[in-house]
Amino acid sequence: MNQTSPVIVALDFSSEAETMQLVDQLDPSLCRLKVGKELFTRCGPSLVKQLVDKNFDVFLDLKYHDIPNTVAHACSAAADLGVWMLNVHALGGEKMMLAAKQALADEHAPLLIAVTWLTSSGQIELDALGIKATPQQMVSRLAVMSQNAGLDGVVCSAQEAPILRQDMGSDFLLVTPGIRLADSEQDDQCRVVTPKKAIADGASYLVIGRPITQSKDPCKVLRTINSDIS
Ligand code: C5P
């Protein structure tokens, strides 16, 4: 299957029926899919397997953060589902990330990326923790830690992509949510970037939810995005 699109559609649904209603309109050549905490908690590994069996590249976005042994076993279980990419919280530390990477050490291993400093947290949260850094410094620090642990990349805001691309080199994956088409609603995202700008700024993959999932014609939106960024 020709999976060339950098678009990852966020399946932020609460049931299998809603999810499959969208997925049945999509094609693995047009996009990859992201399963997050809500959908996974409601529908479980069997839904992930269904998506994998339909030949989609699946990003399992469960953001593991626990002691190294527990995270390593969780990553191994995720890999057994056949997912294409999964993630951990960089705040779990380098030892935890190393253990996660080691648990995925075979040739069919999924990509492993880290969440740095959540875009929902800012300076206030850093100050409350007594961490003397700006959110940008925190993101950069955690990205370096992730790279040192051998991870393939990080989730970051598209607005952080230019600096991270420059600092982390061309092979490090930057996976960016907060993407909006020029004419789409901003929803609850504060700082949004268009697909074209995100790619130009160094993003490797774009996580896009509502502009596609809430559209009357998701395939048409996807085709437009794919042609804009090709
Ligand atoms: O619908 P929308 O395009 O805003 O969806 C964005 C997706 O990316 C959601 O699944 C959201 O949880 C995820 N995400 C985000 N911001 C982050 C990390 C993940 O919007 N910092």
Side-chain angles (χ1 to χ4, degrees), residues 20 22 33 38 58 63 104 117 133 147 166 202 209 214:
M20 295 321 272
L22 174 74
L33 302 175
E38 182 191 4
V58 176
K63 302 184 181 71
L104 300 175
W117 190 242
Q147 194 171 48
Q166 186 184 310
Q214 304 302 312

Side-chain angles (χ1 to χ4, degrees), residues 79-80 82-84 104-111:
D80 288 346
V83 302
W84 158 72
L104 300 175
D106 82 34
E107 62 191 281
H108 303 297
L111 295 167

Side-chain angles (χ1 to χ4, degrees), residues 87-118:
N87 61 1
V88 297
H89 261 287
L91 279 171
E94 205 165 316
K95 241 167 61 181
M96 185 202 80
M97 290 193 278
L98 272 170
K101 186 66 188 173
Q102 276 164 12
L104 300 175
D106 82 34
E107 62 191 281
H108 303 297
L111 295 167
L112 180 63
I113 62 173
V115 175
T116 55
W117 190 242
L118 287 172

Side-chain angles (χ1 to χ4, degrees), residues 12-227:
D12 291 324
F13 296 112
S14 56
S15 72
E16 182 176 327
E18 278 177 291
T19 306
M20 295 321 272
Q21 197 190 1
L22 174 74
V23 170
D24 286 342
Q25 299 173 60
L26 303 177
D27 184 290
S29 65
L30 288 177
C31 63
R32 296 163 160 93
L33 302 175
K34 177 173 95 70
V35 174
K37 286 188 168 100
E38 182 191 4
L39 185 59
F40 188 80
T41 304
R42 290 201 181 275
C43 299
S46 69
L47 179 74
V48 175
K49 278 197 192 136
Q50 271 191 68
L51 302 173
V52 171
D53 288 346
K54 284 178 173 285
N55 282 322
F56 283 97
D57 277 355
V58 176
F59 170 23
L60 189 60
D61 178 23
L62 297 182
K63 302 184 181 71
Y64 298 129
H65 185 172
D66 209 315
I67 59 170
N69 182 59
T70 301
V71 168
H73 284 105
C75 288
S76 180
D80 288 346
L81 295 175
V83 302
W84 158 72
M85 180 154 78
L86 61 130
N87 61 1
V88 297
H89 261 287
L91 279 171
E94 205 165 316
K95 241 167 61 181
M96 185 202 80
M97 290 193 278
L98 272 170
K101 186 66 188 173
Q102 276 164 12
L104 300 175
D106 82 34
E107 62 191 281
H108 303 297
L111 295 167
L112 180 63
I113 62 173
V115 175
T116 55
W117 190 242
L118 287 172
T119 48
S120 52
S121 296
Q123 192 66 56
I124 292 170
E125 285 76 14
L126 284 168
D127 292 345
L129 288 168
I131 298 172
K132 294 196 188 329
T134 64
Q136 181 60 59
Q137 287 168 331
M138 193 66 177
V139 167
S140 295
R141 205 177 279 174
L142 291 168
V144 168
M145 203 188 275
S146 309
Q147 194 171 48
N148 289 343
L151 268 61
D152 299 292
V154 290
V155 181
C156 64
S157 114
Q159 301 195 340
E160 289 153 0
I163 293 179
L164 289 179
R165 179 54 67 222
Q166 186 184 310
D167 293 351
M168 310 303 298
S170 57
D171 292 340
F172 199 62
L173 299 179
L174 302 179
V175 178
T176 62
I179 305 292
R180 286 295 178 270
L181 312 191
D183 60 354
S184 62
E185 294 291 324
Q186 210 166 309
D187 303 309
D188 53 354
Q189 297 282 10
C190 299
R191 297 175 300 142
V192 298
V193 171
T194 63
K196 203 168 179 173
K197 176 150 175 48
I199 293 288
D201 283 350
S204 317
Y205 295 104
L206 312 177
V207 174
I208 311 181
R210 287 160 289 183
I212 295 170
T213 59
Q214 304 302 312
S215 152
K216 285 200 183 90
D217 191 344
C219 273
K220 189 171 162 207
V221 178
L222 261 173
R223 287 208 177 86
T224 306
I225 296 171
N226 283 333
S227 89

